[in-house]
Amino acid sequence: MLQPSYIVITTPAIDKMRAGKRGALIVFEGCDRSGKTTQSSRLVELLKANGIPVLPMNFPDRSSSIGKDINSYLTNSKDLPDEVIHLMFSANRWELVNQMKNKLLEGTTLIVDRYSYSGVAYSAAKGLNFDWCYAPERGLIKPDAVFYLKASADDLTNRGKYGEERYEKVEFQRRVGEVFDRICSKEASYWHQFNASQPADNLHSQIVTITEELLPKVATQPLDKLS
Ligand code: NYM
Ligand code: MG
């Protein structure tokens, strides 16, 4: 059982138990300001405190050269055709696929803030074809679980003032949410939907419950690819 982050459990014993076991790929998805960053960081801290090797990641990774161009696009200092930025977001994931694979196989759990589904949701919300958007994601590592933080339409309106980045407009976010809903029903076997409007502590404990069941279950399963 995972202990609250203030109780630290031994690591050598856990390391021994873990030999030959892989880490889990856990992805957080949802609209902007749905609480992904808060919840994913809390999960990372909890796993760390329990001696479980874990690495936080987030997409887009703005540090690579493609990531820097994506950042210029998001901060409106650069314009690009919708198709081009879409493929750049995907390439930004492909740049890291080998590192992710190695980490998982050496037993590290990856907690990822946004992944392929954000790629599809934001581009499809602009009107690009859904299947076209999904195509470049095929072959990337398939998450073991996606935690979808679903914000209600009311919430998106009440949270009101978004930041200055591209896409941060209530009406656009509503459309993004519709695409996430569609993906969530298609991929129901490994997507877990949470009400993002509930208190952060409740949400955290629901996420912990699922993670607790997930880690031992996937540890001996081979990695799968998005297809
Ligand atoms: N975004 C993110 C996409 O449009 N496609 C993608 O593939 C990914 C990973 O980038 N508004 C968008 C969603 C966000 C923006 O992400 C920046 P964040 O998590 O707000 O920094
Ligand atoms: Mg954002």
Side-chain angles (χ1 to χ4, degrees):
M1 163 131 156
L2 292 174
Q3 300 296 321
S5 24
Y6 51 84
I7 305 178
V8 181
I9 299 206
T10 59
T11 47
I14 289 175
D15 282 349
K16 216 169 177 184
M17 253 165 44
R18 203 181 290 114
K21 306 217 167 132
R22 74 162 172 92
L25 177 57
I26 297 177
V27 168
F28 281 78
E29 287 286 12
C31 292
D32 285 279
R33 300 189 42 195
S34 55
K36 295 179 305 302
T37 308
T38 307
Q39 290 297 331
S40 57
S41 323
R42 284 188 69 171
L43 183 59
V44 168
E45 289 317 309
L46 180 87
L47 296 180
K48 270 190 196 160
N50 280 271
I52 294 168
V54 59
L55 186 70
M57 296 183 70
N58 67 288
F59 290 108
D61 173 352
R62 303 188 194 211
S63 68
S64 68
S65 65
I66 293 174
K68 290 197 173 85
D69 282 343
I70 292 174
N71 184 59
S72 304
Y73 174 84
L74 287 171
T75 53
N76 293 306
S77 58
K78 183 175 195 157
D79 266 325
L80 289 165
D82 293 341
E83 290 82 356
V84 174
I85 186 67
H86 180 78
L87 295 171
M88 286 168 62
F89 273 113
S90 185
N92 185 237
R93 284 181 278 281
W94 279 103
E95 289 186 294
L96 288 172
V97 70
N98 287 335
Q99 268 160 269
M100 291 174 73
K101 188 175 170 191
N102 292 340
K103 284 283 169 199
L104 288 165
L105 292 179
E106 78 189 30
T108 302
T109 286
L110 303 180
I111 306 293
V112 188
D113 188 346
R114 295 193 186 279
Y115 196 54
S116 302
Y117 315 97
S118 280
V120 176
Y122 283 77
S123 292
K126 292 173 175 171
L128 294 186
N129 176 273
F130 184 94
D131 294 327
W132 186 90
C133 291
Y134 187 72
E137 306 302 319
R138 294 209 167 92
L140 287 172
I141 309 169
K142 184 179 174 183
D144 295 299
V146 176
F147 296 157
Y148 169 34
L149 307 195
K150 182 175 158 67
S152 66
D154 275 357
D155 246 24
L156 289 178
T157 311
N158 293 337
R159 286 177 192 191
K161 211 170 131 266
Y162 270 101
E164 298 294 304
E165 287 209 334
R166 214 182 274 259
Y167 303 144
E168 296 188 341
K169 305 269 180 322
V170 173
E171 196 36 52
F172 185 75
Q173 296 286 328
R174 220 186 284 276
R175 292 208 297 276
V176 171
E178 285 168 9
V179 189
F180 276 132
D181 289 346
R182 177 175 166 194
I183 304 175
C184 187
S185 35
K186 269 175 57 148
E187 309 292 327
S189 61
Y190 62 103
W191 273 57
H192 304 265
Q193 181 179 306
F194 299 95
N195 170 7
S197 316
Q198 65 185 309
D201 284 349
N202 294 5
L203 189 48
H204 176 66
S205 41
Q206 290 168 23
I207 286 170
V208 171
T209 304
I210 296 183
T211 305
E212 242 172 356
E213 285 171 21
L214 186 78
L215 296 186
K217 198 178 90 192
V218 304
T220 51
Q221 289 174 2
L223 288 176
D224 203 355
K225 290 181 179 175
L226 289 176
S227 58

